[in-house]
Amino acid sequence: MIVESGDRTERILMRLIVATAVACIAFGFIVDTPGDVIRGIGDIVIAPDVLVTDFVLLGGLGGAFAQGGLVTLLACLTYRLTGAKVDGGAVGCLYMVLGFGLFGKTIVNVWPILIGVALYALWRREALRDSVTTAWFATALSPVFSEIAFNTGLVKWVSVPVGLATGLLIGFIVSPVARGLFRAHNGFTLYNMGFVAGILGAVIIAVFRSFGLEDQPPMTWTSGNDGPLLILCAILIAMVVIAAFALDRRPWRGYRGLLRRTGQAPADFIGSDGPGPTLLNMAITGTLTTVLMVAIDADFNGPVVGGIVSVIGFSACGKHAVNIVPVMLGVILGALTKPLGLDDDGVVWAVMFGTCLAPISARFGPHWGVLAGFLHVSVAQVADSLTIGLNLYGNGFAAGMVAAVLSPIALMFVERRESDRLQEPEAVPST
């Protein structure tokens, strides 16, 4: 393996993410006219923004992908200005920003929470660079601002300040809450902020519900764009492969060691296994997820492409081809035992984002991963009702509950088995 300096590695990783965002913007202007793209972005910014609102429906194919690329460039800029480290967690975060920029995060609604996290860091006298990744993950609750500011019966001079204040409050308190709730699952779900956002969101929405906030409409997805979006996914995966070989001429040499890791959070495959094998892993899991989406006949749209992109990103900090497959199989098995089709929105969603439970299958065995996926598809069907769709990481919320319950049970059995093995007397050779 070629050993690269940290600075060069971070530069190439950031260039990859910037290039990926630019590719999405270019794609938007290729499939739609500039006027349609600009109008589409405007429509996305002020529209109702609940899970899952496919931005392709709101702003067209061009507007959705241009907006997603722009919010990702904004995130990259915050890393650059603060000097934040581009490690595995940052890569996972930035790819997730791109993915959720296709169905939830906008260039407007992320700001209150970002500023709230920054204010907390300043209050604690902590460096802003240490809070950037947390801040962007916390924008899972950015639809709260959009809904309050633009889609209530209040006049704008009241609704916008109330939405802003709510977003600032969420950002200010999210860091200490995240540290406390991490202990509930001990890193066996990779989407800790999804769990945090679900708990916070449930409390905040309960308050607003008492003032008359209504339940949100169901998920809105589009269809009919499979061809161009499959091509775009292939391009994005190819860009990751190119970056892998730019950093390591033989990235596969360290890949086997990466596959032996549990991925239990906090994990950083870039730091532990090198950027080459990590990027190769990202390309492989992205390809696997894309092929699975084709196999179950899922419609390719903003949420599905966003899910694929998110799996790619978190393959830098926990997911790999060995530990995600049992969870995917468990989700599919769970769907087959219920009156759900494999191409149903909720099932497609759970197949991709349920892979945040991958550390369970790697630490305790693939059968536990299958069980985790089986439980997850059921919990995910009802978890969003607690936050009426305003937590973008709804599957992360569900997975946090599954991990918090299942991981200590699995640990109990594994520790008992390991203890029994240690107490077995050594075999005495026959004479």
Side-chain angles (χ1 to χ4, degrees):
M1 180 187 299
I2 296 176
V3 179
E4 298 285 349
S5 69
D7 289 344
R8 182 172 183 269
T9 296
E10 289 192 36
R11 284 199 306 271
I12 292 178
L13 290 172
M14 184 56 72
R15 288 171 184 172
L16 167 64
I17 296 166
V18 169
T20 301
V22 171
C24 288
I25 295 172
F27 173 80
F29 281 93
I30 289 171
V31 297
D32 276 335
T33 65
D36 287 340
V37 170
I38 294 171
R39 281 191 296 272
I41 293 174
D43 291 339
I44 287 169
V45 166
I46 64 172
D49 190 13
V50 297
L51 182 75
V52 171
T53 301
D54 186 354
F55 284 172
V56 174
L57 179 67
L58 299 179
L61 197 59
F65 280 85
Q67 201 281 150
L70 287 173
V71 74
T72 307
L73 291 179
L74 175 63
C76 291
L77 181 62
T78 61
Y79 274 84
R80 177 65 181 273
L81 293 177
T82 61
K85 184 176 179 60
V86 185
D87 54 10
V91 171
C93 176
L94 288 167
Y95 268 91
M96 183 164 273
V97 169
L98 175 59
F100 281 77
L102 300 174
F103 57 89
K105 300 182 182 183
T106 74
I107 54 178
V108 171
N109 68 15
V110 297
W111 283 107
I113 291 176
L114 293 177
I115 295 171
V117 174
L119 290 174
Y120 174 80
L122 293 172
W123 182 65
R124 293 277 298 179
R125 299 180 181 177
E126 298 172 348
L128 288 177
R129 64 176 176 271
D130 297 331
S131 300
V132 174
T133 297
T134 297
W136 280 102
F137 275 135
T139 54
L141 286 169
S142 56
V144 173
F145 168 75
S146 296
E147 185 65 22
I148 295 172
F150 303 125
N151 300 291
T152 62
L154 299 174
V155 294
K156 291 295 183 287
W157 65 269
V158 173
S159 64
V160 172
V162 171
L164 178 61
T166 304
L168 290 173
L169 175 63
I170 291 170
F172 193 83
I173 65 176
V174 73
S175 293
V177 174
R179 284 193 290 268
L181 289 178
F182 182 86
R183 292 189 289 269
H185 56 77
N186 201 29
F188 284 106
T189 171
L190 298 175
Y191 297 164
N192 181 55
M193 193 56 74
F195 185 44
V196 173
I199 299 294
L200 273 179
V203 174
I204 293 169
I205 297 306
V207 174
F208 279 101
R209 264 180 162 169
S210 68
F211 287 98
L213 182 65
E214 297 179 355
D215 287 352
Q216 304 304 306
M219 294 188 292
T220 54
W221 291 32
T222 59
S223 59
N225 296 303
D226 292 4
L229 292 182
L230 268 172
I231 294 172
L232 178 63
C233 288
I235 292 172
L236 300 184
I237 292 170
M239 292 170 67
V240 176
V241 174
I242 292 170
F245 282 91
L247 283 164
D248 188 342
R249 285 178 295 182
R250 289 183 287 181
W252 59 85
R253 290 205 303 176
Y255 185 55
R256 183 175 297 178
L258 185 152
L259 292 178
R260 289 195 290 266
R261 299 193 180 278
T262 64
Q264 185 176 352
D268 179 6
F269 290 159
I270 294 173
S272 61
D273 299 276
T278 300
L279 287 164
L280 182 63
N281 180 55
M282 292 165 63
I284 290 172
T285 57
T287 302
L288 174 65
T289 306
T290 304
V291 170
L292 182 57
M293 291 300 102
V294 174
I296 65 176
D297 199 28
D299 291 316
F300 276 71
N301 47 38
V304 169
V305 174
I308 292 169
V309 168
S310 298
V311 171
I312 292 172
F314 265 81
S315 298
C317 53
K319 300 180 183 182
H320 54 67
V322 172
N323 66 8
I324 66 173
V325 169
V327 180
M328 288 177 162
L329 291 176
V331 171
I332 292 172
L333 179 62
L336 292 175
T337 60
K338 300 174 176 64
L340 298 171
L342 294 182
D343 60 344
D344 285 1
D345 300 346
V347 176
V348 171
W349 206 237
V351 167
M352 293 185 291
F353 286 101
T355 54
C356 64
L357 292 164
I360 290 179
S361 66
R363 171 65 178 85
F364 304 119
H367 54 295
W368 285 102
V370 172
L371 178 58
F374 183 90
L375 295 174
H376 176 77
V377 72
S378 297
V379 177
Q381 300 297 313
V382 298
D384 285 328
S385 64
L386 297 176
T387 56
I388 60 173
L390 295 178
N391 169 23
L392 291 175
Y393 304 163
N395 269 259
F397 182 27
M401 290 188 282
V402 172
V405 172
L406 187 61
S407 61
I409 297 173
L411 188 62
M412 175 182 66
F413 283 100
V414 169
E415 286 180 340
R416 173 64 182 269
R417 186 170 64 247
E418 291 175 348
S419 176
D420 290 344
R421 187 183 300 117
L422 290 174
Q423 293 176 11
E424 288 179 359
E426 295 184 1
V428 178
S430 58
T431 57

